[in-house]
Amino acid sequence: MTRKVARKGTRGLVLDTLEQMRVNYEIVEESTFIIFHYQGETYHISAENRSTFITIGVLGLMSVDVDDLDEVNRMRKAINDANNESSVTFFFMVNKELGTITAHCKKVIPFMKEITELDDYLKTVLHEMSREREFFDRKMTKLRNEGIEEDSDEQDYGTRKMFLKTLTKMGCPYEIDRDDEILFNFQGGRFVATVEDKYRYIRFIYPAFQCVDCDDVPAVSRLRKAINNTNTECETITAYRIDEENKVMYAYGRMSLLFSREIPDHDLYLRTELLEFFKSRHYLEAELFKLTAMEASEEE
């Protein structure tokens, strides 16, 4: 009997895991993509051996005609609402040739041999993405019928103590507010973390870092476009909120991060993930600058 030799690197680890799950897959030539079907959904995984992270995507959640302004506005609101609530990044892309706008979602996760039972781990993430996709679908339905419905399904882990211990190891000062949220500083940034021992994921908020006046319609439009463009390229989720009292719209970052005992070097892992917030902020600022320059050029 010939012994099967495990493939090397992150990409090989993904392929080995899919085979262990008895899932058929297709490798897209001259790309990093692996396509497979699982429980009625089609997934795309982008995996490279040089990175210990993989990107899982569900493409083509729904498409609407660019001329159907009501549906376009519903889709944009559903995407932002989903980005406010879920651990998956939702975004849209415009196909000018077909005249359509299509919604997609993605999730970036660590994928390494140190994580035990990778097949169960991947199944859990896929189930989560399927649940969040249903959440998005319900958002669209509710927007069409003037309502909202929410869903949650959490498990019991011991996360909060590990997180506080990691912050101390990293030398990050923190405080706990009256809502039991953890406020901490990291490389000049102020972050808010919602952590409970019974949940395996930590929810991070990087508070408002870009703000525009709601009455400035072009600025609001630019910020929305910049947020969507940022979500297509960056790992953390960028969303917006409306401050009705002060009549401003502001952008902020958020992320739900797996934080379990199976992940080695919690301090290095957390530091790497928090740095992604700064990358997203800089990308958003660059997009705003580019969009402003394009509009000024068109007016000349």
Side-chain angles (χ1 to χ4, degrees):
M1 181 176 179
T2 303
R3 183 180 178 183
K4 182 178 178 181
V5 179
R7 301 178 177 92
K8 295 182 178 179
T10 305
R11 186 175 177 83
L13 201 59
V14 170
L15 297 177
D16 287 340
T17 303
L18 291 176
E19 290 177 4
Q20 188 176 355
M21 292 167 57
R22 300 185 183 278
V23 171
N24 295 323
Y25 59 82
E26 173 188 350
I27 298 176
V28 180
E29 294 184 4
E30 299 182 358
S31 79
T32 63
F33 283 109
I34 302 165
I35 303 175
F36 65 96
H37 302 281
Y38 182 74
Q39 296 191 350
E41 190 68 83
T42 301
Y43 295 91
H44 292 64
I45 288 183
S46 177
E48 298 182 74
N49 287 330
R50 62 184 179 180
S51 173
T52 56
F53 289 82
I54 65 173
T55 301
I56 307 175
V58 180
L59 307 183
L61 301 178
M62 67 172 296
S63 293
V64 300
D65 194 303
V66 293
D67 294 326
D68 190 341
L69 298 183
D70 288 339
E71 276 292 88
V72 169
N73 287 332
R74 290 188 193 104
M75 177 187 284
R76 287 178 171 173
K77 180 167 175 48
I79 286 174
N80 187 68
D81 287 350
N83 282 336
N84 278 326
E85 302 291 339
S86 75
S87 61
V88 176
T89 304
F90 289 82
F91 60 97
F92 67 84
M93 298 187 73
V94 179
N95 188 319
K96 294 183 179 180
E97 184 177 345
L98 296 178
T100 58
I101 296 179
T102 304
H104 313 281
C105 70
K106 67 176 183 178
K107 185 173 180 66
V108 180
I109 63 170
F111 207 82
M112 58 193 80
K113 62 183 180 180
E114 288 82 2
I115 299 176
T116 58
E117 300 180 346
L118 278 172
D119 55 336
D120 288 337
Y121 169 59
L122 183 56
K123 288 177 184 177
T124 299
V125 174
L126 296 178
H127 288 152
E128 178 190 4
M129 292 191 70
S130 177
R131 187 169 64 245
E132 299 295 4
R133 187 256 169 82
E134 292 172 359
F135 180 79
F136 170 79
D137 290 341
R138 289 200 304 274
K139 285 283 186 182
M140 281 298 299
T141 300
K142 288 292 182 177
L143 285 170
R144 290 172 179 142
N145 297 294
E146 300 299 323
I148 296 177
E149 183 179 336
E150 297 186 9
D151 182 29
S152 64
D153 181 18
E154 304 292 352
Q155 298 185 41
D156 191 358
Y157 298 94
T159 309
R160 189 178 178 93
K161 293 177 182 177
M162 281 193 300
F163 177 65
L164 292 177
K165 183 178 179 180
T166 302
L167 287 179
T168 300
K169 185 177 180 181
M170 292 169 58
C172 295
Y174 66 84
E175 60 185 89
I176 300 174
D177 67 12
R178 64 180 62 186
D179 296 321
D180 213 28
E181 292 182 322
I182 300 168
L183 286 64
F184 66 97
N185 298 324
F186 173 73
Q187 293 197 0
R190 184 71 164 171
F191 295 87
V192 180
T194 302
V195 196
E196 295 186 43
D197 280 330
K198 63 181 179 179
Y199 294 152
R200 193 175 183 178
Y201 283 82
I202 301 174
R203 181 177 179 178
F204 292 95
I205 297 291
Y206 183 26
F209 53 79
Q210 193 66 236
C211 182
V212 298
D213 193 316
C214 285
D215 294 329
D216 188 342
V217 177
V220 168
S221 178
R222 283 194 299 271
L223 184 55
R224 283 177 173 164
K225 289 178 183 177
I227 287 173
N228 184 70
N229 293 346
T230 301
N231 282 332
T232 63
E233 299 295 335
C234 299
E235 291 185 12
T236 61
I237 299 171
T238 303
Y240 67 83
R241 289 191 186 277
I242 304 295
D243 183 341
E244 297 290 351
E245 182 178 352
N246 295 307
K247 300 298 181 182
V248 296
M249 171 182 172
Y250 63 86
Y252 70 98
R254 60 175 297 272
M255 170 177 62
S256 290
L257 182 68
L258 174 69
F259 207 77
S260 67
R261 298 188 183 278
E262 293 81 7
I263 297 174
D265 301 323
H266 285 108
D267 54 333
L268 177 60
Y269 170 62
L270 181 58
R271 184 178 291 108
T272 300
E273 289 301 302
L274 290 176
L275 286 173
E276 293 298 324
F277 278 112
F278 298 123
K279 291 181 183 179
S280 296
R281 175 178 180 171
H282 296 325
Y283 191 95
L284 176 72
E285 291 170 347
E287 283 296 298
L288 285 172
F289 180 82
K290 182 169 64 176
L291 290 169
T292 303
M294 288 174 59
E295 291 180 9
S297 178
E298 291 173 358
E299 292 176 358
E300 291 179 356

